[in-house]
Amino acid sequence: MLAHLDIACTSEITRLRYVRRTAVSAKRSANMSKEPTSGYTHESDDIQSLVRLAGLAAHARDGWQPVLAKLRQRVGGTGAAFAIADLVTGTFLHAELEGFAATGDSIWARYNDELARSDRHAAFLRDVRHLTIYTDADIRSVDSGAMKAVGAWLSARLGVAHQVSCLVRSGQLGASFQIHRPATDGPFGPAEADVLHRQIAAIADTVMMYLRQLEETRLAYMAGLLGQNDASLTVVDAHGRPLFAHASVVGAQASMAESLGLRFGDGRKARMFERSLALASRGMRSPPIISEQTDGQITLVHVKPIRDRRISVLFNLARAVVFVREYRTQDKHIVMSLREVFGLTQQESRVAVLSGSGMNAREIAHEMGISYETVRSHLKAVFAKMGVNRQAEVSLIIARIDGE
């Protein structure tokens, strides 16, 4: 509850900043060039109107369509898109489409699947500078084979072949404004690119404030999920593809496990991990998985569903959160403390540590190579000697010992 209150307060503070700075952006835009572009008149008035629309869009969910419509009218195109990408993972997190027959996050999720075929597309997004104009030709030059397939999909599903785009960057996030048109209209030229650049430059401050608000909300939400734990955290979509992360290195590897740096000792655990992702995408929980074990240490993986994706548009495609934590099972300090303070045996101490890490009796039995009944017997002794009744209490005691 407190975490949600903190997020709400953060969002309100950022919203008030918008109210103050949107007026500044409007005033600044009035000083821009008043010379009309060929085919248009009163460009400065149009820019001021665009700034006002951007200010309204920054406060609303799915509210960028009026901005896109005006940009499409000014530049000339059959459709427009506003897409937010994580510039670390190179993944699109949210999109709004205008002028297309097919709209919404579902169609953008499918487009993102097409983009996932190209590892280099993520690198392309990371390298695009703030307020840089890029076209479909620029993207194809990075990876012509993969982008040819993406282009074919765009033509078949959305009826477009050419685009001109401008990227606004703020920290880890980037907002791409894209104008699209069919092959029959030909590619966009320098004059049209210049019009788009002037339009986006006028609203860049507002867009950056919007991205900062999203980033603050995202960080507050993830901090609430982590609490005091030292685990890494990665948010993934329904396919297990990393969307964004906290204290975890992700990339465009072939599988979710590889992108998280996880190494499973056998195929059974890898399949358990994939099953946990599938369950989490349906809102169901699953037991933790040991991905790697060395002498005295295990890497424990928890896959949990994301309950409320309405917290931010960045979570529209999110389905699960993956926690990865290294846990010391043979730490002499912990084992000695458990034996000295509570009188546990060596094996009872190890059962206590594994139980405290979140494993159930059957998982402990499999990990230690002993019978289920033996584990149950050890757990009864552990609970009695430690004076607790629940597994969570064992976890709390061990965490305190580990922190001393």
Side-chain angles (χ1 to χ4, degrees):
M1 181 62 72
L2 291 176
H4 287 289
L5 287 175
D6 290 341
I7 294 170
C9 290
T10 300
S11 300
E12 180 61 17
I13 291 171
T14 309
R15 188 189 72 80
L16 293 175
R17 291 174 182 166
Y18 287 162
V19 173
R20 293 196 303 268
R21 296 191 61 181
T22 298
V24 175
S25 297
K27 184 176 180 180
R28 182 179 300 169
S29 67
N31 297 324
M32 296 185 65
S33 173
K34 296 185 178 181
E35 296 181 3
T37 303
S38 178
Y40 301 108
T41 60
H42 309 299
E43 182 178 9
S44 63
D45 293 338
D46 281 348
I47 286 179
Q48 290 187 48
S49 174
L50 184 67
V51 170
R52 288 193 292 271
L53 290 175
L56 293 173
H59 294 75
R61 184 183 178 92
D62 297 340
W64 289 90
Q65 280 85 359
V67 174
L68 295 176
K70 182 167 284 293
L71 288 173
R72 182 165 64 88
Q73 178 186 10
R74 294 285 284 116
V75 178
T78 57
F82 169 75
I84 300 174
D86 186 295
L87 300 177
V88 173
T89 63
T91 306
F92 287 113
L93 305 176
H94 170 70
E96 299 173 35
L97 308 180
E98 191 277 330
F100 296 106
T103 60
D105 283 319
S106 59
I107 196 73
W108 202 256
R110 183 73 180 94
Y111 176 55
N112 208 27
D113 289 341
E114 296 295 323
L115 292 177
R117 298 183 183 185
S118 170
D119 291 350
R120 296 180 183 177
H121 184 80
F124 175 81
L125 282 178
R126 287 193 290 270
D127 292 338
V128 174
R129 295 183 178 182
H130 179 61
L131 290 181
T132 293
I133 293 289
Y134 63 96
T135 67
D136 49 293
D138 296 321
I139 301 175
R140 282 197 302 272
S141 67
V142 176
D143 191 338
S144 58
M147 292 314 299
K148 184 178 181 180
V150 175
W153 183 86
L154 284 172
S155 178
R157 294 297 298 272
L158 299 181
V160 294
H162 301 291
Q163 74 173 63
V164 59
S165 308
C166 187
L167 185 72
V168 177
R169 299 178 66 108
S170 178
Q172 190 173 327
L173 297 178
S176 175
F177 290 87
Q178 307 169 7
I179 309 298
H180 296 264
R181 67 188 185 193
T184 54
D185 291 347
F188 290 92
E192 295 159 315
D194 185 56
V195 171
L196 179 62
H197 185 269
R198 289 201 301 271
Q199 300 283 311
I200 301 303
I203 63 174
D205 285 349
T206 301
V207 177
M208 291 173 68
M209 286 187 288
Y210 175 68
L211 294 178
R212 282 196 291 270
Q213 180 204 24
L214 295 179
E215 183 69 0
E216 289 170 5
T217 302
R218 175 169 75 167
L219 291 176
Y221 181 80
M222 296 175 75
L225 290 176
L226 279 174
Q228 300 299 317
N229 295 321
D230 58 355
S232 66
L233 180 157
T234 304
V235 175
V236 301
D237 65 9
H239 303 291
R241 182 168 52 244
L243 298 177
F244 45 83
H246 180 275
S248 179
V249 179
V250 296
Q253 287 82 353
S255 72
M256 175 65 184
E258 290 178 4
S259 66
L260 288 173
L262 301 179
R263 293 183 293 277
F264 294 106
D266 54 65
R268 182 185 67 85
K269 289 184 178 180
R271 289 190 296 272
M272 287 174 60
F273 180 70
E274 297 298 329
R275 181 173 180 273
S276 295
L277 287 173
L279 290 173
S281 67
R282 299 197 296 269
M284 302 170 64
R285 303 189 66 167
S286 56
I289 307 166
I290 295 179
S291 70
E292 185 177 18
Q293 181 171 359
T294 58
D295 292 338
Q297 183 169 295
I298 60 174
T299 300
L300 201 63
V301 181
H302 292 263
V303 182
K304 299 180 180 180
I306 292 180
R307 299 297 184 186
D308 189 2
R309 298 192 299 274
R310 295 172 297 178
I311 191 67
S312 167
V313 296
L314 299 185
F315 290 83
N316 284 349
L317 301 179
R319 293 297 180 271
V321 57
V322 180
F323 296 88
V324 181
R325 184 184 183 191
E326 293 183 351
Y327 207 93
R328 291 172 288 180
T329 62
Q330 299 289 349
D331 191 298
K332 294 182 179 180
H333 170 59
I334 297 177
V335 173
M336 185 178 299
S337 296
L338 290 174
R339 296 187 67 178
E340 291 181 354
V341 176
F342 300 104
L344 302 186
T345 66
Q346 183 76 18
Q347 196 165 46
E348 287 171 349
S349 296
R350 189 180 178 203
V351 169
V353 172
L354 292 176
S355 175
S357 70
M359 298 177 66
N360 61 35
R362 294 193 182 280
E363 292 166 337
I364 295 173
H366 181 271
E367 192 61 37
M368 294 182 63
I370 58 179
S371 70
Y372 170 71
E373 293 300 327
T374 299
V375 172
R376 288 192 61 188
S377 176
H378 285 321
L379 284 174
K380 288 179 181 179
V382 168
F383 282 15
K385 292 179 180 180
M386 296 181 71
V388 299
N389 298 311
R390 296 181 302 154
Q391 186 178 8
E393 295 176 281
V394 176
S395 300
L396 182 59
I397 292 173
I398 293 176
R400 287 175 177 173
I401 294 174
D402 193 24
E404 291 177 354

